[in-house]
PDB file of all heavy atoms in Angstrom:
ATOM      1  N   ASN A 234     105.725 106.889  91.577  1.00 93.00           N
ATOM      2  CA  ASN A 234     106.853 106.443  92.399  1.00 93.00           C
ATOM      3  C   ASN A 234     107.145 104.961  92.220  1.00 93.00           C
ATOM      4  O   ASN A 234     107.895 104.383  93.008  1.00 93.00           O
ATOM      5  CB  ASN A 234     106.587 106.742  93.876  1.00 93.00           C
ATOM      6  CG  ASN A 234     106.542 108.221  94.146  1.00 93.00           C
ATOM      7  OD1 ASN A 234     107.366 108.980  93.632  1.00 93.00           O
ATOM      8  ND2 ASN A 234     105.569 108.666  94.929  1.00 93.00           N
ATOM      9  N   GLY A 235     106.515 104.331  91.223  1.00 94.00           N
ATOM     10  CA  GLY A 235     106.767 102.917  90.952  1.00 94.00           C
ATOM     11  C   GLY A 235     106.093 101.966  91.919  1.00 94.00           C
ATOM     12  O   GLY A 235     106.519 100.820  92.053  1.00 94.00           O
ATOM     13  N   ARG A 236     105.032 102.411  92.578  1.00 96.00           N
ATOM     14  CA  ARG A 236     104.334 101.561  93.545  1.00 96.00           C
ATOM     15  C   ARG A 236     103.065 100.988  92.923  1.00 96.00           C
ATOM     16  O   ARG A 236     102.389 101.655  92.142  1.00 96.00           O
ATOM     17  CB  ARG A 236     103.954 102.356  94.792  1.00 96.00           C
ATOM     18  CG  ARG A 236     105.143 102.894  95.553  1.00 96.00           C
ATOM     19  CD  ARG A 236     104.702 103.791  96.665  1.00 96.00           C
ATOM     20  NE  ARG A 236     103.916 104.893  96.110  1.00 96.00           N
ATOM     21  CZ  ARG A 236     103.686 106.039  96.733  1.00 96.00           C
ATOM     22  NH1 ARG A 236     104.147 106.244  97.946  1.00 96.00           N
ATOM     23  NH2 ARG A 236     102.965 106.987  96.168  1.00 96.00           N
ATOM     24  N   ILE A 237     102.752  99.762  93.315  1.00 97.00           N
ATOM     25  CA  ILE A 237     101.478  99.152  92.933  1.00 97.00           C
ATOM     26  C   ILE A 237     100.730  98.765  94.202  1.00 97.00           C
ATOM     27  O   ILE A 237     101.330  98.382  95.197  1.00 97.00           O
ATOM     28  CB  ILE A 237     101.654  97.928  92.004  1.00 97.00           C
ATOM     29  CG1 ILE A 237     102.534  96.850  92.649  1.00 97.00           C
ATOM     30  CG2 ILE A 237     102.171  98.359  90.640  1.00 97.00           C
ATOM     31  CD1 ILE A 237     102.600  95.541  91.863  1.00 97.00           C
ATOM     32  N   ALA A 238      99.407  98.887  94.132  1.00 97.00           N
ATOM     33  CA  ALA A 238      98.561  98.533  95.279  1.00 97.00           C
ATOM     34  C   ALA A 238      98.174  97.068  95.172  1.00 97.00           C
ATOM     35  O   ALA A 238      97.665  96.625  94.150  1.00 97.00           O
ATOM     36  CB  ALA A 238      97.323  99.410  95.294  1.00 97.00           C
ATOM     37  N   ILE A 239      98.438  96.323  96.221  1.00 97.00           N
ATOM     38  CA  ILE A 239      98.043  94.921  96.301  1.00 97.00           C
ATOM     39  C   ILE A 239      96.680  94.882  96.992  1.00 97.00           C
ATOM     40  O   ILE A 239      96.544  95.379  98.114  1.00 97.00           O
ATOM     41  CB  ILE A 239      99.068  94.091  97.122  1.00 97.00           C
ATOM     42  CG1 ILE A 239     100.498  94.322  96.632  1.00 97.00           C
ATOM     43  CG2 ILE A 239      98.693  92.617  97.104  1.00 97.00           C
ATOM     44  CD1 ILE A 239     100.775  93.934  95.214  1.00 97.00           C
ATOM     45  N   PRO A 240      95.649  94.322  96.342  1.00 97.00           N
ATOM     46  CA  PRO A 240      94.321  94.309  96.964  1.00 97.00           C
ATOM     47  C   PRO A 240      94.349  93.704  98.377  1.00 97.00           C
ATOM     48  O   PRO A 240      95.005  92.688  98.627  1.00 97.00           O
ATOM     49  CB  PRO A 240      93.495  93.444  96.012  1.00 97.00           C
ATOM     50  CG  PRO A 240      94.170  93.617  94.680  1.00 97.00           C
ATOM     51  CD  PRO A 240      95.643  93.703  95.009  1.00 97.00           C
ATOM     52  N   ALA A 241      93.623  94.344  99.274  1.00 96.00           N
ATOM     53  CA  ALA A 241      93.587  93.907 100.680  1.00 96.00           C
ATOM     54  C   ALA A 241      93.105  92.471 100.802  1.00 96.00           C
ATOM     55  O   ALA A 241      93.625  91.705 101.628  1.00 96.00           O
ATOM     56  CB  ALA A 241      92.704  94.845 101.495  1.00 96.00           C
ATOM     57  N   SER A 242      92.124  92.076  99.988  1.00 96.00           N
ATOM     58  CA  SER A 242      91.610  90.703 100.075  1.00 96.00           C
ATOM     59  C   SER A 242      92.697  89.690  99.726  1.00 96.00           C
ATOM     60  O   SER A 242      92.810  88.640 100.366  1.00 96.00           O
ATOM     61  CB  SER A 242      90.404  90.523  99.157  1.00 96.00           C
ATOM     62  OG  SER A 242      90.755  90.811  97.815  1.00 96.00           O
ATOM     63  N   GLN A 243      93.513  90.001  98.739  1.00 97.00           N
ATOM     64  CA  GLN A 243      94.593  89.088  98.358  1.00 97.00           C
ATOM     65  C   GLN A 243      95.693  89.063  99.415  1.00 97.00           C
ATOM     66  O   GLN A 243      96.193  87.994  99.767  1.00 97.00           O
ATOM     67  CB  GLN A 243      95.163  89.481  96.989  1.00 97.00           C
ATOM     68  CG  GLN A 243      94.182  89.239  95.862  1.00 97.00           C
ATOM     69  CD  GLN A 243      94.716  89.690  94.513  1.00 97.00           C
ATOM     70  OE1 GLN A 243      95.716  90.397  94.422  1.00 97.00           O
ATOM     71  NE2 GLN A 243      94.051  89.277  93.453  1.00 97.00           N
ATOM     72  N   ARG A 244      96.065  90.224  99.915  1.00 97.00           N
ATOM     73  CA  ARG A 244      97.086  90.262 100.980  1.00 97.00           C
ATOM     74  C   ARG A 244      96.637  89.443 102.174  1.00 97.00           C
ATOM     75  O   ARG A 244      97.405  88.659 102.727  1.00 97.00           O
ATOM     76  CB  ARG A 244      97.358  91.706 101.422  1.00 97.00           C
ATOM     77  CG  ARG A 244      98.092  92.539 100.417  1.00 97.00           C
ATOM     78  CD  ARG A 244      98.599  93.879 101.005  1.00 97.00           C
ATOM     79  NE  ARG A 244      97.746  94.500 101.984  1.00 97.00           N
ATOM     80  CZ  ARG A 244      96.813  95.413 101.716  1.00 97.00           C
ATOM     81  NH1 ARG A 244      96.588  95.792 100.484  1.00 97.00           N
ATOM     82  NH2 ARG A 244      96.101  95.945 102.689  1.00 97.00           N
ATOM     83  N   GLY A 245      95.389  89.630 102.575  1.00 96.00           N
ATOM     84  CA  GLY A 245      94.872  88.907 103.730  1.00 96.00           C
ATOM     85  C   GLY A 245      94.804  87.413 103.507  1.00 96.00           C
ATOM     86  O   GLY A 245      95.130  86.625 104.398  1.00 96.00           O
ATOM     87  N   ALA A 246      94.386  87.004 102.328  1.00 96.00           N
ATOM     88  CA  ALA A 246      94.222  85.575 102.041  1.00 96.00           C
ATOM     89  C   ALA A 246      95.542  84.817 102.050  1.00 96.00           C
ATOM     90  O   ALA A 246      95.583  83.652 102.413  1.00 96.00           O
ATOM     91  CB  ALA A 246      93.527  85.389 100.694  1.00 96.00           C
ATOM     92  N   VAL A 247      96.633  85.471 101.655  1.00 96.00           N
ATOM     93  CA  VAL A 247      97.922  84.768 101.591  1.00 96.00           C
ATOM     94  C   VAL A 247      98.860  85.145 102.739  1.00 96.00           C
ATOM     95  O   VAL A 247      99.972  84.650 102.818  1.00 96.00           O
ATOM     96  CB  VAL A 247      98.628  84.969 100.222  1.00 96.00           C
ATOM     97  CG1 VAL A 247      97.773  84.437  99.102  1.00 96.00           C
ATOM     98  CG2 VAL A 247      99.013  86.411  99.992  1.00 96.00           C
ATOM     99  N   GLY A 248      98.397  86.014 103.639  1.00 96.00           N
ATOM    100  CA  GLY A 248      99.185  86.340 104.825  1.00 96.00           C
ATOM    101  C   GLY A 248     100.309  87.326 104.593  1.00 96.00           C
ATOM    102  O   GLY A 248     101.288  87.344 105.333  1.00 96.00           O
TER     103      GLY A 248
END
Side-chain angles (χ1 to χ4, degrees):
N234 294 317
R236 297 173 302 199
I237 58 172
I239 309 299
S242 59
Q243 291 177 347
R244 289 192 325 267
V247 300

